[in-house]
PDB file of all heavy atoms in Angstrom:
ATOM      1  N   HIS A   8       9.427   0.276  -9.562  1.00  0.00           N
ATOM      2  CA  HIS A   8       9.449  -0.797  -8.576  1.00  0.00           C
ATOM      3  C   HIS A   8       9.627  -0.268  -7.156  1.00  0.00           C
ATOM      4  O   HIS A   8       8.993  -0.761  -6.209  1.00  0.00           O
ATOM      5  CB  HIS A   8      10.572  -1.783  -8.909  1.00  0.00           C
ATOM      6  CG  HIS A   8      10.614  -2.974  -8.009  1.00  0.00           C
ATOM      7  ND1 HIS A   8      11.314  -2.991  -6.821  1.00  0.00           N
ATOM      8  CD2 HIS A   8      10.012  -4.188  -8.096  1.00  0.00           C
ATOM      9  CE1 HIS A   8      11.149  -4.154  -6.226  1.00  0.00           C
ATOM     10  NE2 HIS A   8      10.379  -4.908  -6.975  1.00  0.00           N
ATOM     11  N   SER A   9      10.467   0.750  -7.004  1.00  0.00           N
ATOM     12  CA  SER A   9      10.770   1.247  -5.661  1.00  0.00           C
ATOM     13  C   SER A   9       9.575   1.918  -4.999  1.00  0.00           C
ATOM     14  O   SER A   9       9.541   2.072  -3.774  1.00  0.00           O
ATOM     15  CB  SER A   9      11.937   2.234  -5.721  1.00  0.00           C
ATOM     16  OG  SER A   9      11.608   3.366  -6.511  1.00  0.00           O
ATOM     17  N   THR A  10       8.595   2.335  -5.796  1.00  0.00           N
ATOM     18  CA  THR A  10       7.444   3.041  -5.210  1.00  0.00           C
ATOM     19  C   THR A  10       6.407   2.081  -4.639  1.00  0.00           C
ATOM     20  O   THR A  10       5.561   2.506  -3.836  1.00  0.00           O
ATOM     21  CB  THR A  10       6.753   3.932  -6.257  1.00  0.00           C
ATOM     22  OG1 THR A  10       6.130   3.102  -7.247  1.00  0.00           O
ATOM     23  CG2 THR A  10       7.754   4.864  -6.925  1.00  0.00           C
ATOM     24  N   ILE A  11       6.451   0.811  -5.020  1.00  0.00           N
ATOM     25  CA  ILE A  11       5.397  -0.125  -4.618  1.00  0.00           C
ATOM     26  C   ILE A  11       5.307  -0.224  -3.103  1.00  0.00           C
ATOM     27  O   ILE A  11       4.237  -0.048  -2.517  1.00  0.00           O
ATOM     28  CB  ILE A  11       5.642  -1.514  -5.242  1.00  0.00           C
ATOM     29  CG1 ILE A  11       5.556  -1.440  -6.772  1.00  0.00           C
ATOM     30  CG2 ILE A  11       4.636  -2.523  -4.693  1.00  0.00           C
ATOM     31  CD1 ILE A  11       5.886  -2.746  -7.466  1.00  0.00           C
ATOM     32  N   THR A  12       6.450  -0.512  -2.466  1.00  0.00           N
ATOM     33  CA  THR A  12       6.437  -0.685  -1.005  1.00  0.00           C
ATOM     34  C   THR A  12       5.996   0.593  -0.313  1.00  0.00           C
ATOM     35  O   THR A  12       5.237   0.557   0.666  1.00  0.00           O
ATOM     36  CB  THR A  12       7.838  -1.095  -0.515  1.00  0.00           C
ATOM     37  OG1 THR A  12       8.219  -2.310  -1.159  1.00  0.00           O
ATOM     38  CG2 THR A  12       7.838  -1.306   0.994  1.00  0.00           C
ATOM     39  N   ARG A  13       6.433   1.749  -0.823  1.00  0.00           N
ATOM     40  CA  ARG A  13       6.127   3.023  -0.166  1.00  0.00           C
ATOM     41  C   ARG A  13       4.646   3.366  -0.278  1.00  0.00           C
ATOM     42  O   ARG A  13       4.026   3.797   0.694  1.00  0.00           O
ATOM     43  CB  ARG A  13       6.984   4.139  -0.776  1.00  0.00           C
ATOM     44  CG  ARG A  13       8.467   3.880  -0.618  1.00  0.00           C
ATOM     45  CD  ARG A  13       9.322   4.865  -1.393  1.00  0.00           C
ATOM     46  NE  ARG A  13      10.640   4.298  -1.644  1.00  0.00           N
ATOM     47  CZ  ARG A  13      11.627   4.933  -2.238  1.00  0.00           C
ATOM     48  NH1 ARG A  13      11.454   6.176  -2.668  1.00  0.00           N
ATOM     49  NH2 ARG A  13      12.785   4.351  -2.439  1.00  0.00           N
ATOM     50  N   VAL A  14       4.096   3.172  -1.466  1.00  0.00           N
ATOM     51  CA  VAL A  14       2.674   3.474  -1.647  1.00  0.00           C
ATOM     52  C   VAL A  14       1.821   2.530  -0.804  1.00  0.00           C
ATOM     53  O   VAL A  14       0.894   2.962  -0.104  1.00  0.00           O
ATOM     54  CB  VAL A  14       2.287   3.386  -3.134  1.00  0.00           C
ATOM     55  CG1 VAL A  14       0.774   3.480  -3.302  1.00  0.00           C
ATOM     56  CG2 VAL A  14       2.964   4.499  -3.933  1.00  0.00           C
ATOM     57  N   ARG A  15       2.139   1.242  -0.839  1.00  0.00           N
ATOM     58  CA  ARG A  15       1.363   0.291  -0.048  1.00  0.00           C
ATOM     59  C   ARG A  15       1.504   0.582   1.446  1.00  0.00           C
ATOM     60  O   ARG A  15       0.520   0.477   2.200  1.00  0.00           O
ATOM     61  CB  ARG A  15       1.824  -1.135  -0.351  1.00  0.00           C
ATOM     62  CG  ARG A  15       1.355  -1.659  -1.712  1.00  0.00           C
ATOM     63  CD  ARG A  15       1.928  -3.028  -1.981  1.00  0.00           C
ATOM     64  NE  ARG A  15       1.368  -3.631  -3.193  1.00  0.00           N
ATOM     65  CZ  ARG A  15       1.847  -4.737  -3.759  1.00  0.00           C
ATOM     66  NH1 ARG A  15       2.886  -5.353  -3.219  1.00  0.00           N
ATOM     67  NH2 ARG A  15       1.286  -5.224  -4.854  1.00  0.00           N
ATOM     68  N   ALA A  16       2.708   0.951   1.870  1.00  0.00           N
ATOM     69  CA  ALA A  16       2.920   1.274   3.283  1.00  0.00           C
ATOM     70  C   ALA A  16       2.082   2.486   3.689  1.00  0.00           C
ATOM     71  O   ALA A  16       1.457   2.494   4.753  1.00  0.00           O
ATOM     72  CB  ALA A  16       4.399   1.537   3.549  1.00  0.00           C
ATOM     73  N   GLY A  17       2.067   3.507   2.822  1.00  0.00           N
ATOM     74  CA  GLY A  17       1.272   4.692   3.119  1.00  0.00           C
ATOM     75  C   GLY A  17      -0.205   4.382   3.220  1.00  0.00           C
ATOM     76  O   GLY A  17      -0.909   4.899   4.096  1.00  0.00           O
ATOM     77  N   LEU A  18      -0.690   3.504   2.351  1.00  0.00           N
ATOM     78  CA  LEU A  18      -2.106   3.141   2.375  1.00  0.00           C
ATOM     79  C   LEU A  18      -2.436   2.319   3.621  1.00  0.00           C
ATOM     80  O   LEU A  18      -3.503   2.485   4.221  1.00  0.00           O
ATOM     81  CB  LEU A  18      -2.463   2.367   1.102  1.00  0.00           C
ATOM     82  CG  LEU A  18      -2.382   3.186  -0.194  1.00  0.00           C
ATOM     83  CD1 LEU A  18      -2.460   2.282  -1.414  1.00  0.00           C
ATOM     84  CD2 LEU A  18      -3.503   4.220  -0.241  1.00  0.00           C
ATOM     85  N   GLN A  19      -1.514   1.441   4.018  1.00  0.00           N
ATOM     86  CA  GLN A  19      -1.723   0.670   5.238  1.00  0.00           C
ATOM     87  C   GLN A  19      -1.726   1.585   6.463  1.00  0.00           C
ATOM     88  O   GLN A  19      -2.503   1.397   7.399  1.00  0.00           O
ATOM     89  CB  GLN A  19      -0.631  -0.390   5.385  1.00  0.00           C
ATOM     90  CG  GLN A  19      -0.737  -1.535   4.408  1.00  0.00           C
ATOM     91  CD  GLN A  19      -1.987  -2.358   4.615  1.00  0.00           C
ATOM     92  OE1 GLN A  19      -2.177  -2.947   5.673  1.00  0.00           O
ATOM     93  NE2 GLN A  19      -2.861  -2.390   3.630  1.00  0.00           N
ATOM     94  N   ALA A  20      -0.836   2.593   6.422  1.00  0.00           N
ATOM     95  CA  ALA A  20      -0.707   3.500   7.557  1.00  0.00           C
ATOM     96  C   ALA A  20      -1.955   4.344   7.785  1.00  0.00           C
ATOM     97  O   ALA A  20      -2.163   4.876   8.876  1.00  0.00           O
ATOM     98  CB  ALA A  20       0.509   4.411   7.357  1.00  0.00           C
ATOM     99  N   LEU A  21      -2.816   4.445   6.776  1.00  0.00           N
ATOM    100  CA  LEU A  21      -4.057   5.214   6.933  1.00  0.00           C
ATOM    101  C   LEU A  21      -5.044   4.509   7.858  1.00  0.00           C
ATOM    102  O   LEU A  21      -5.976   5.146   8.387  1.00  0.00           O
ATOM    103  CB  LEU A  21      -4.710   5.439   5.564  1.00  0.00           C
ATOM    104  CG  LEU A  21      -3.959   6.372   4.600  1.00  0.00           C
ATOM    105  CD1 LEU A  21      -4.597   6.328   3.215  1.00  0.00           C
ATOM    106  CD2 LEU A  21      -3.949   7.799   5.137  1.00  0.00           C
ATOM    107  N   ASP A  22      -4.861   3.188   8.034  1.00  0.00           N
ATOM    108  CA  ASP A  22      -5.715   2.401   8.948  1.00  0.00           C
ATOM    109  C   ASP A  22      -7.199   2.539   8.623  1.00  0.00           C
ATOM    110  O   ASP A  22      -8.041   2.775   9.511  1.00  0.00           O
ATOM    111  CB  ASP A  22      -5.474   2.826  10.408  1.00  0.00           C
ATOM    112  CG  ASP A  22      -4.073   2.508  10.893  1.00  0.00           C
ATOM    113  OD1 ASP A  22      -3.499   1.523  10.395  1.00  0.00           O
ATOM    114  OD2 ASP A  22      -3.558   3.251  11.751  1.00  0.00           O
ATOM    115  N   ILE A  23      -7.535   2.394   7.331  1.00  0.00           N
ATOM    116  CA  ILE A  23      -8.947   2.520   6.938  1.00  0.00           C
ATOM    117  C   ILE A  23      -9.482   1.238   6.297  1.00  0.00           C
ATOM    118  O   ILE A  23     -10.517   1.262   5.636  1.00  0.00           O
ATOM    119  CB  ILE A  23      -9.151   3.716   5.981  1.00  0.00           C
ATOM    120  CG1 ILE A  23      -8.303   3.562   4.718  1.00  0.00           C
ATOM    121  CG2 ILE A  23      -8.847   5.019   6.685  1.00  0.00           C
ATOM    122  CD1 ILE A  23      -8.611   4.607   3.655  1.00  0.00           C
ATOM    123  N   GLY A  24      -8.751   0.134   6.455  1.00  0.00           N
ATOM    124  CA  GLY A  24      -9.247  -1.141   5.949  1.00  0.00           C
ATOM    125  C   GLY A  24      -8.757  -1.542   4.586  1.00  0.00           C
ATOM    126  O   GLY A  24      -9.227  -2.544   4.034  1.00  0.00           O
ATOM    127  N   ILE A  25      -7.824  -0.795   4.004  1.00  0.00           N
ATOM    128  CA  ILE A  25      -7.252  -1.194   2.715  1.00  0.00           C
ATOM    129  C   ILE A  25      -6.413  -2.448   2.930  1.00  0.00           C
ATOM    130  O   ILE A  25      -5.543  -2.467   3.807  1.00  0.00           O
ATOM    131  CB  ILE A  25      -6.396  -0.065   2.122  1.00  0.00           C
ATOM    132  CG1 ILE A  25      -7.276   1.149   1.796  1.00  0.00           C
ATOM    133  CG2 ILE A  25      -5.669  -0.533   0.865  1.00  0.00           C
ATOM    134  CD1 ILE A  25      -6.516   2.361   1.267  1.00  0.00           C
ATOM    135  N   PRO A  26      -6.644  -3.510   2.173  1.00  0.00           N
ATOM    136  CA  PRO A  26      -5.931  -4.774   2.418  1.00  0.00           C
ATOM    137  C   PRO A  26      -4.451  -4.685   2.061  1.00  0.00           C
ATOM    138  O   PRO A  26      -4.048  -3.875   1.220  1.00  0.00           O
ATOM    139  CB  PRO A  26      -6.664  -5.774   1.513  1.00  0.00           C
ATOM    140  CG  PRO A  26      -7.288  -4.937   0.440  1.00  0.00           C
ATOM    141  CD  PRO A  26      -7.636  -3.636   1.083  1.00  0.00           C
ATOM    142  N   GLN A  27      -3.658  -5.539   2.699  1.00  0.00           N
ATOM    143  CA  GLN A  27      -2.243  -5.615   2.354  1.00  0.00           C
ATOM    144  C   GLN A  27      -2.096  -6.078   0.904  1.00  0.00           C
ATOM    145  O   GLN A  27      -2.884  -6.862   0.406  1.00  0.00           O
ATOM    146  CB  GLN A  27      -1.526  -6.595   3.286  1.00  0.00           C
ATOM    147  CG  GLN A  27      -1.417  -6.118   4.720  1.00  0.00           C
ATOM    148  CD  GLN A  27      -0.601  -7.072   5.583  1.00  0.00           C
ATOM    149  OE1 GLN A  27      -0.062  -8.055   5.101  1.00  0.00           O
ATOM    150  NE2 GLN A  27      -0.537  -6.775   6.868  1.00  0.00           N
ATOM    151  N   GLY A  28      -1.050  -5.578   0.252  1.00  0.00           N
ATOM    152  CA  GLY A  28      -0.832  -5.969  -1.134  1.00  0.00           C
ATOM    153  C   GLY A  28      -1.703  -5.236  -2.130  1.00  0.00           C
ATOM    154  O   GLY A  28      -1.721  -5.579  -3.311  1.00  0.00           O
ATOM    155  N   TRP A  29      -2.445  -4.234  -1.660  1.00  0.00           N
ATOM    156  CA  TRP A  29      -3.292  -3.430  -2.558  1.00  0.00           C
ATOM    157  C   TRP A  29      -2.547  -2.145  -2.856  1.00  0.00           C
ATOM    158  O   TRP A  29      -2.061  -1.482  -1.938  1.00  0.00           O
ATOM    159  CB  TRP A  29      -4.617  -3.122  -1.879  1.00  0.00           C
ATOM    160  CG  TRP A  29      -5.663  -2.471  -2.740  1.00  0.00           C
ATOM    161  CD1 TRP A  29      -6.668  -3.101  -3.427  1.00  0.00           C
ATOM    162  CD2 TRP A  29      -5.849  -1.066  -2.984  1.00  0.00           C
ATOM    163  NE1 TRP A  29      -7.452  -2.186  -4.077  1.00  0.00           N
ATOM    164  CE2 TRP A  29      -6.972  -0.921  -3.833  1.00  0.00           C
ATOM    165  CE3 TRP A  29      -5.165   0.089  -2.602  1.00  0.00           C
ATOM    166  CZ2 TRP A  29      -7.439   0.308  -4.286  1.00  0.00           C
ATOM    167  CZ3 TRP A  29      -5.607   1.323  -3.054  1.00  0.00           C
ATOM    168  CH2 TRP A  29      -6.727   1.429  -3.875  1.00  0.00           C
ATOM    169  N   PRO A  30      -2.413  -1.734  -4.104  1.00  0.00           N
ATOM    170  CA  PRO A  30      -2.927  -2.357  -5.324  1.00  0.00           C
ATOM    171  C   PRO A  30      -1.975  -3.410  -5.895  1.00  0.00           C
ATOM    172  O   PRO A  30      -0.850  -3.559  -5.425  1.00  0.00           O
ATOM    173  CB  PRO A  30      -3.013  -1.152  -6.276  1.00  0.00           C
ATOM    174  CG  PRO A  30      -1.839  -0.308  -5.880  1.00  0.00           C
ATOM    175  CD  PRO A  30      -1.763  -0.428  -4.378  1.00  0.00           C
ATOM    176  N   ASP A  31      -2.443  -4.124  -6.944  1.00  0.00           N
ATOM    177  CA  ASP A  31      -1.589  -5.040  -7.698  1.00  0.00           C
ATOM    178  C   ASP A  31      -0.753  -4.234  -8.689  1.00  0.00           C
ATOM    179  O   ASP A  31      -1.168  -3.160  -9.146  1.00  0.00           O
ATOM    180  CB  ASP A  31      -2.433  -6.054  -8.473  1.00  0.00           C
ATOM    181  CG  ASP A  31      -3.157  -7.025  -7.558  1.00  0.00           C
ATOM    182  OD1 ASP A  31      -2.569  -7.421  -6.539  1.00  0.00           O
ATOM    183  OD2 ASP A  31      -4.305  -7.382  -7.866  1.00  0.00           O
TER     184      ASP A  31
END
């Protein structure tokens, strides 16, 4: 559970168009 926010944050930080909440 603790990794969800971190992984999603890292993907958002790439600024390449990955939507928020990805992945499920």
